[in-house]
Amino acid sequence: MDSFQFKIEDKFLPLLHEQVWEVKDKLERYTELTVSDFAEILDLLPPAPGIVMDFGTGIGRAAIYHNYINGHKSHYILADRDGDSKNNTGEYGPSEDQYYNDLALTGEFCKLNGIKSFQTFDTEAGDWSKLPKVDFIMSHYSLGFHVSVDRYIDRLHSILAPGGTILLGVRHSYHLKDYSKLFKTQMFRESPNKPPLPTQHWLLLKDPIKP
């Protein structure tokens, strides 16, 4: 395994996903999953993006690891719904999307783990029109996995910088749609991951076409 390891404090433990991580060492599992995810997509990551949005950031694990392998060169927008979503049902599953989010704690966790430049953003209550243009949008186990891509694709398209990239970890049952009216490039990659790691596949959307 990569020498990378998350730093943790007790106050962050409620943000660790209870249903997925019913294992003895949740932090070790987070590290294993994160390193494994990125190993599949290193060749798809844009080099040194100025601004990165981690959509469905949760505790911020993907942003933290991207920051680690990217040499601390980017500004991160940690984007998710803020607050208790235990009554929410995922669009692709009955109970997988039930968890607790606290963007303030997410920011603290990311700072503890080495991200120096970041902001948090509530995807439901936040004003998308006030966001800066983003060079790279990534989403792990969120958009296309728990939430329909169509629900947010127009908003993501509107904030993506010219030449920008969107990379989504989607579930195997996700039915791909044609986004050629919005992006010049669309690519789908199957994941080689096998259980017990949760399997997500990869949807790449690149070079937005502006209206």
Side-chain angles (χ1 to χ4, degrees):
M1 179 180 290
D2 194 296
S3 60
F4 171 84
Q5 179 62 56
F6 290 110
K7 298 177 182 178
I8 193 72
E9 296 175 0
D10 287 347
K11 65 182 177 180
F12 301 120
L13 293 179
L15 275 71
L16 299 188
H17 200 306
E18 293 292 337
Q19 293 178 326
V20 174
W21 311 114
E22 292 177 353
V23 293
K24 188 171 182 179
D25 191 339
K26 294 182 181 180
L27 197 62
E28 181 179 337
R29 184 61 174 251
Y30 257 69
T31 303
E32 178 187 11
L33 179 65
T34 303
V35 173
S36 175
D37 282 350
F38 275 90
E40 297 180 7
I41 56 173
L42 288 176
D43 62 314
L44 301 180
L45 301 178
I51 300 180
V52 176
M53 172 179 278
D54 182 15
F55 185 100
T57 188
I59 199 171
R61 68 175 184 90
I64 291 167
Y65 191 70
H66 183 271
N67 179 64
Y68 170 76
I69 63 175
N70 190 44
H72 311 275
K73 298 176 182 177
S74 302
H75 173 78
Y76 291 87
I77 301 174
L78 309 171
D80 211 325
R81 293 169 297 184
D82 198 14
D84 193 341
S85 63
K86 289 183 178 179
N87 292 321
N88 184 68
T89 55
E91 294 176 55
Y92 294 121
S95 62
E96 294 176 334
D97 201 24
Q98 298 178 6
Y99 55 90
Y100 180 76
N101 265 350
D102 186 325
L103 287 176
L105 282 178
T106 296
E108 290 183 41
F109 185 71
C110 288
K111 186 176 181 179
L112 175 67
N113 282 274
I115 298 185
K116 297 179 180 179
S117 181
F118 68 87
Q119 66 192 86
T120 59
F121 180 72
D122 189 326
T123 55
E124 293 299 313
D127 187 346
W128 286 78
S129 67
K130 294 183 178 180
L131 289 174
K133 290 296 181 180
V134 177
D135 301 296
F136 177 43
I137 300 170
M138 61 180 177
S139 182
H140 294 243
Y141 297 103
S142 181
L143 199 59
F145 201 90
H146 292 307
V147 182
S148 168
V149 175
D150 283 348
R151 182 173 172 181
Y152 287 98
I153 193 63
D154 288 338
R155 298 181 203 180
L156 299 182
H157 179 266
S158 71
I159 65 170
L160 196 63
T165 299
I166 298 177
L167 185 58
L168 310 177
V170 302
R171 68 172 60 228
H172 64 276
S173 60
Y174 177 72
H175 298 289
L176 290 178
K177 294 187 177 181
D178 181 7
Y179 293 107
S180 60
K181 292 182 179 180
L182 295 176
F183 302 93
K184 295 179 182 178
T185 301
Q186 176 173 336
M187 188 188 81
F188 181 71
R189 174 181 290 180
E190 292 278 351
S191 169
N193 261 344
K194 303 296 182 184
L197 288 176
T199 300
Q200 62 181 339
H201 307 287
W202 302 99
L203 174 62
L204 177 76
L205 302 170
K206 191 173 180 179
D207 298 320
I209 299 171
K210 297 303 178 182

